[in-house]
Amino acid sequence: MTPTPETPRLTPVADHALLVEFAEALDDTAHAAVLRLDHALSTHPAPGLREAVPAFVNLLVEFDPALTDHAAIGAHVTSLLGASGAEASAPVTHEIGICYEAPFARDLPEVAMKLGLSEEAVINAHLAGDYRVYLYGFAPGYAYMAGVRPELRMDRKPAPVRGVAAGSVIVAGAQCLITTLTMPTGWWILGRSPAKILTGAEDRPFLFDVGDQVRFKRLSLAEYEAQNG
Amino acid sequence: MADALFHVDFAGPLVSLQDAGRPGHMRFGVPSSGGMDRKALALANLALGNPAGAPVIEVSLGGLRMTCTEGTVSLAVTGGAFVVEAGARKLASWHVVTLTAGETLVIRPGHWGAWAYVAFAGALDCPRWLGSASTHAGSGLGGGVVKSGQTLRIIDAQTRPERDLPLPVTCRPRQKLHVVMGPQDRCFPAETLETFRAGPWQVTAQGDRMGMRLKGPKLELGDALSIPSEPILRGSVQVAGDGVPTLLMADHQTTGGYPKIATVLDDDTDGFAQLRAGDPLELVVLTPAEAATLARFRKDRWAEYLARRAEAQA
């Protein structure tokens, strides 16, 4: 049976986790269901729950097998899903600066050429996107945002480029992210952000929560340097 | 109290500081990290009277050589059967030894095992991230990768009687892995599931703290090539487009789009980490309920063992 937001599939994973799937392919209704269950689990945690990991269309519930089991966690999840009025936590909107100037925007000329747009039009299209954090993955602080406008969607490059600096703003398909580490990437590099996703703050070590909205603001080189100080 | 200092003369690749790990941050892309062999890490600490999850040095097959330049301190070495040279003494792992200024400690691979743990009687001085000294290999966050030329400080260095440590059966390398099929087993053709169960599988040299590739029959993916990125655990067996499975370990990516054909019982992953390239594997398929029961049994037995060790030491 294909899972749906109303009838999720609960799959046991090894001895200590349960995967709750709301769809098999990317689907906004399913993601909304993930966020609702994530919020419900944070306000009504099951005994023995270690952590919940939200993703695009499913959520992994990891538990201590000494304290509970798949059946008990499954029953808890089912009761939360059935409870009326379950809501996702209110999303926070972040304003994040990006500098699209030459030293940081190594792929801007190629992207403009590929899409048949001017560089200014690419920048404006990127600024106009409606971004939301869907999940973290790949590496600490890699927050995958969907919401890249259709005219800016490109397949990733055929081969990754090495040594892409931390803070790079990169896009591929409908997704955009700000890198936190210097790493290879096959995504297109449009700019650099001074925003620190790994904040270094003890009370809030990560800038975004899954579900948060992000608006980008254009920075001049001088503004970037001032904020990156 | 006096500190002890060590100069790292040589550290092989993947030698890093680890502790009990930083669970609870997978939603932010952060795996737990911690010891590849968490049990050996805990026993190194307990042998000295440290908390089980205190920071230690995790030594890879690349080995480690460091010289005590100041002070005197006892240390415990556990994990695989590594060769331990402490000053003029030639020992093996599973020992408590004391080093004093001018003496050199050499740790290199012995006849089995892939990771050794060095705990100190005292506090290993190192940076922490999100409350843990465990080093995340991809980012270097945490206590850090140990590099040739660096200095390590042991705060409040103390000594303990030198002695042999018992190597519990639980800490031997584990070739028999208990797995629960899935969570994406339905994405694979039935013949592929059978091929996976039957093997034969071997450990390869293509591995690090993120995961270890296995060698065996090609796993045909059918149309399971790409699923929306979803959470991964230590123990997930993901199958990439080339049909080769990788068993994900301490520094695993937290989400990924490759289908997972099976997941290894968490408790088996420590012993798995101590296997070497070419070692054969045997897979035993369990139902989720059987796996949970076995996990509880193992956890109780381990707690009993630790309690007996603590008693024997007191």
Side-chain angles (χ1 to χ4, degrees):
Chain A
M1 263 225 332
T2 308
T4 69
E6 293 74 36
T7 55
R9 175 167 54 210
L10 275 52
T11 308
V13 183
D15 52 311
H16 61 113
L18 186 75
L19 184 66
V20 185
E21 298 171 272
F22 294 98
E24 285 181 350
L26 294 177
D27 175 286
D28 276 343
T29 330
H31 188 66
V34 167
L35 296 182
R36 280 198 302 275
L37 177 59
D38 186 41
H39 182 63
L41 281 167
S42 70
T43 50
H44 299 89
L49 180 139
R50 279 194 188 128
E51 65 176 313
V53 191
F56 284 115
V57 294
N58 47 40
L59 179 140
L60 187 77
V61 186
E62 208 243 325
F63 59 83
D64 181 350
L67 302 177
T68 186
D69 61 14
H70 302 98
I73 292 287
H76 184 83
V77 163
T78 305
S79 76
L80 290 177
L81 292 170
S84 59
E87 286 189 24
S89 49
V92 174
T93 302
H94 304 263
E95 189 173 82
I96 301 293
I98 303 180
C99 178
Y100 296 95
E101 302 305 321
F104 303 140
R106 59 165 285 168
D107 292 336
L108 192 55
E110 193 180 342
V111 167
M113 201 153 70
K114 217 170 128 70
L115 298 174
L117 298 169
S118 68
E119 292 186 17
E120 275 304 303
V122 169
I123 292 168
N124 288 330
H126 187 248
L127 286 166
D130 178 19
Y131 300 101
R132 207 145 71 104
V133 176
Y134 273 67
L135 82 169
Y136 279 88
F138 185 63
Y142 269 56
Y144 285 75
M145 293 177 262
V148 172
R149 288 182 61 86
E151 67 265 30
L152 205 52
R153 293 183 190 172
M154 295 160 289
D155 290 336
R156 64 188 69 184
K157 298 171 189 170
V161 175
R162 301 183 70 87
V164 175
S168 293
V169 178
I170 59 179
V171 294
Q175 300 191 82
C176 175
L177 67 79
I178 303 168
T179 65
T180 58
L181 306 171
T182 297
M183 276 209 178
T185 182
W187 291 27
W188 302 90
I189 305 151
L190 297 186
R192 184 86 57 89
S193 175
K196 300 282 175 279
I197 316 261
L198 306 177
T199 62
E202 257 180 49
D203 54 337
R204 192 182 171 81
F206 302 91
L207 188 58
F208 307 132
D209 276 325
V210 170
D212 281 359
Q213 288 169 331
V214 177
R215 237 180 261 128
F216 291 129
K217 185 186 161 210
R218 188 171 183 174
L219 301 179
S220 68
L221 207 48
E223 286 168 323
Y224 171 86
E225 297 295 354
Q227 291 186 26
N228 200 39
Chain B
M1 283 293 200
D3 292 355
L5 292 180
F6 284 89
H7 176 264
V8 178
D9 307 312
F10 170 79
L14 308 183
V15 177
S16 67
L17 302 189
Q18 299 293 336
D19 63 8
R22 60 175 70 74
H25 303 285
M26 281 202 286
R27 62 164 55 235
F28 297 112
V30 183
S32 174
S33 298
M36 290 288 279
D37 182 345
R38 297 162 294 189
K39 299 184 184 93
L41 185 156
L43 289 176
N45 274 317
L46 293 174
L48 301 167
N50 294 345
V56 304
I57 304 176
E58 181 180 80
V59 183
S60 68
L61 288 170
L64 174 73
R65 178 192 165 98
M66 56 185 201
T67 301
C68 184
T69 56
E70 203 178 306
T72 298
V73 66
S74 295
L75 49 92
V77 184
T78 64
F82 280 56
V83 174
V84 178
E85 291 167 31
R89 288 152 296 171
K90 194 161 176 182
L91 309 163
S93 43
W94 299 92
H95 260 92
V96 174
V97 293
T98 300
L99 254 79
T100 199
E103 288 185 308
T104 295
L105 177 75
V106 178
I107 297 180
R108 55 188 166 80
H111 58 279
W112 64 263
W115 303 94
Y117 295 87
V118 186
F120 298 90
L124 179 51
D125 184 26
C126 62
R128 283 172 168 74
W129 182 52
L130 302 176
S132 164
S134 285
T135 307
H136 173 263
S139 63
L141 291 165
V145 170
V146 177
K147 295 191 182 84
S148 306
Q150 100 177 67
T151 299
L152 291 171
R153 177 181 293 273
I154 314 302
I155 298 168
D156 188 9
Q158 302 184 8
T159 58
R160 304 273 185 269
E162 297 202 343
R163 62 193 172 103
D164 283 355
L165 297 169
L167 164 62
V169 176
T170 325
C171 287
R172 291 180 191 164
R174 203 165 290 179
Q175 291 173 311
K176 187 163 142 183
L177 302 181
H178 296 87
V179 302
V180 173
M181 297 305 287
Q184 278 88 41
D185 47 331
R186 68 173 182 284
C187 295
F188 295 88
E191 312 82 74
T192 302
L193 298 178
E194 194 38 54
T195 303
F196 174 75
R197 287 189 200 101
W201 297 106
Q202 269 183 18
V203 177
T204 70
Q206 290 165 287
D208 54 23
R209 286 185 40 88
M210 285 182 72
M212 294 159 81
R213 273 162 76 93
L214 307 182
K215 185 177 158 192
K218 187 176 181 201
L219 298 176
E220 298 294 343
L221 279 154
D223 52 5
L225 193 55
S226 186
I227 55 168
S229 257
E230 63 153 57
I232 293 175
L233 290 169
R234 174 173 171 145
S236 294
V237 182
Q238 74 176 20
V239 183
D242 55 7
V244 176
T246 297
L247 204 169
L248 293 158
M249 292 296 289
D251 287 345
H252 64 86
Q253 296 186 17
T254 55
T255 56
Y258 292 123
K260 273 78 78 187
I261 194 167
T263 312
V264 175
L265 188 84
D266 187 56
D267 187 76
D268 278 345
T269 60
D270 302 277
F272 167 77
Q274 293 292 5
L275 298 175
R276 287 190 186 169
D279 283 346
L281 292 171
E282 181 195 342
L283 302 183
V284 181
V285 178
L286 300 183
T287 66
E290 288 167 343
T293 304
L294 181 58
R296 270 191 290 282
F297 174 76
R298 293 259 187 89
K299 198 167 174 169
D300 288 349
R301 290 290 300 270
W302 180 240
E304 280 169 27
Y305 179 79
L306 295 184
R308 278 208 309 278
R309 297 296 329 142
E311 216 169 274
Q313 235 168 282

